């Protein structure tokens, strides 16, 4: 009987050592630390949200303005040469009395924010509701807010909003993003620590002027 007891003890120590080296154990400790409580419901929910960088309600922003040179470059890249964006004479006789920035140009700020925060992420969908025009020289702030995290921890649902220097919403919508698969523990996994870069405003961009 003593031999059986010793065998069981040895077997338990071996299994515990293997488990302690496993990713499941490390994920458990991470989730427990993140939750700050011992309740099984909280632990389960925290584990499903995967990484400590992902928290519902987190918000990231970037700010910039758009010069005529940049608008013309975007028009050339996309082959969208609508004169309401690039021809001042034509735009003056139009609805907005001045050239307006391509909506898809400032909408692209959302993808830039997400890719800086989550390198390797892939867009699944993006809805866009344009509220107001963005004029040359306007300062646009794009904000993405994490609304929910899918059960796998890889599908993220964001609210996406752009506002101008007067605090008016010029664009709203939502996006769904798929994160890349994370390497298994011990296979060179690296923690994502990238954040949005410093924002660019009209004051810091010599090219951003209306002439």
């Amino acid at each position: 009987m003593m031999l059986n007891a010793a065998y069981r003890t040895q077997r338990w120590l071996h299994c515990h050592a293997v488990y302690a080296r496993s990713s499941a154990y490390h994920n458990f400790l991470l989730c427990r630390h993140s939750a700050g409580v011992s309740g099984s419901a909280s632990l389960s929910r925290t584990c499903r949200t995967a990484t400590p960088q992902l928290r519902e309600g987190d918000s990231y922003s970037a700010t910039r303005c758009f010069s005529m040179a940049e608008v013309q470059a975007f028009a050339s890249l996309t082959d969208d040469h609508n004169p309401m964006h690039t021809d001042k004479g034509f735009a003056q006789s139009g609805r907005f009395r001045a050239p307006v920035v391509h909506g898809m140009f400032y909408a692209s700020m959302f993808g830039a924010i997400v890719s800086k925060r989550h390198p390797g992420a892939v867009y699944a969908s993006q809805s866009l509701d344009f509220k107001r025009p963005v004029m040359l020289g306007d300062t646009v702030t794009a904000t993405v807010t994490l609304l929910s995290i899918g059960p796998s921890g890889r599908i993220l649902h964001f609210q996406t909003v752009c506002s101008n220097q007067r605090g008016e919403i010029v664009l709203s919508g939502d996006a769904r993003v798929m994160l890349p698969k994370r390497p298994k523990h011990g296979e060179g996994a690296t923690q994502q620590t990238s954040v949005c870069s410093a924002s660019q405003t009209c004051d810091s961009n010599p090219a951003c002027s209306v002439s």
Side-chain angles (χ1 to χ4, degrees):
M1 182 175 294
M2 291 182 61
L3 181 61
N4 290 338
Y7 173 78
R8 288 196 299 269
T9 301
Q10 183 179 11
R11 182 66 178 170
W12 181 89
L13 289 173
H14 172 73
C15 292
H16 181 73
V18 171
Y19 178 60
R21 292 195 300 268
S22 70
S23 60
Y25 180 69
H26 285 269
N27 287 340
F28 168 77
L29 291 180
L30 177 62
C31 293
R32 184 173 184 177
H33 175 73
S34 299
V37 294
S38 58
S40 59
S42 296
L43 281 176
S44 175
R45 183 177 183 281
T46 306
C47 286
R48 288 200 302 270
T49 59
T51 72
Q53 288 84 8
L54 298 178
R55 294 182 182 178
E56 293 177 4
D58 280 355
S59 184
Y60 314 103
S61 298
T63 300
R64 65 167 296 171
C65 64
F66 300 89
S67 68
M68 175 57 84
E70 291 170 326
V71 168
Q72 290 173 339
F74 184 84
S76 295
L77 287 171
T78 61
D79 201 27
D80 181 356
H81 295 282
N82 189 328
M84 67 180 293
H85 302 300
T86 57
D87 187 325
K88 292 183 179 180
F90 181 92
Q92 286 175 353
S93 62
R95 176 179 179 183
F96 303 116
R97 304 300 180 186
V100 296
V101 181
H102 297 78
M104 298 306 294
F105 196 177
Y106 51 90
S108 68
M109 295 173 69
F110 300 138
I113 294 171
V114 171
S115 66
K116 288 175 182 177
R117 183 66 186 180
H118 304 292
V122 176
Y123 252 72
S125 65
Q126 171 75 64
S127 67
L128 299 171
D129 185 8
F130 296 94
K131 307 286 189 180
R132 291 179 174 84
V134 171
M135 318 304 292
L136 293 178
D138 280 356
T139 299
V140 177
T141 298
T143 303
V144 300
T145 302
L146 184 56
L147 298 179
S148 64
I149 305 168
S152 67
R154 293 182 58 210
I155 304 297
L156 309 183
H157 180 202
F158 290 101
Q159 178 191 57
T160 54
V161 175
C162 280
S163 57
N164 60 24
Q165 67 274 18
R166 294 178 293 277
E168 300 168 333
I169 294 177
V170 297
L171 172 61
S172 64
D174 67 276
R176 291 190 181 275
V177 174
M178 178 179 291
L179 299 182
K181 290 183 178 179
R182 291 177 297 159
K184 294 181 180 179
H185 181 73
E187 294 184 357
T190 57
Q191 188 175 8
Q192 295 177 351
T193 57
S194 62
V195 296
C196 294
S197 62
S199 60
Q200 182 185 41
T201 64
C202 288
D203 293 338
S204 62
N205 181 7
C208 186
S209 61
V210 181
S211 58

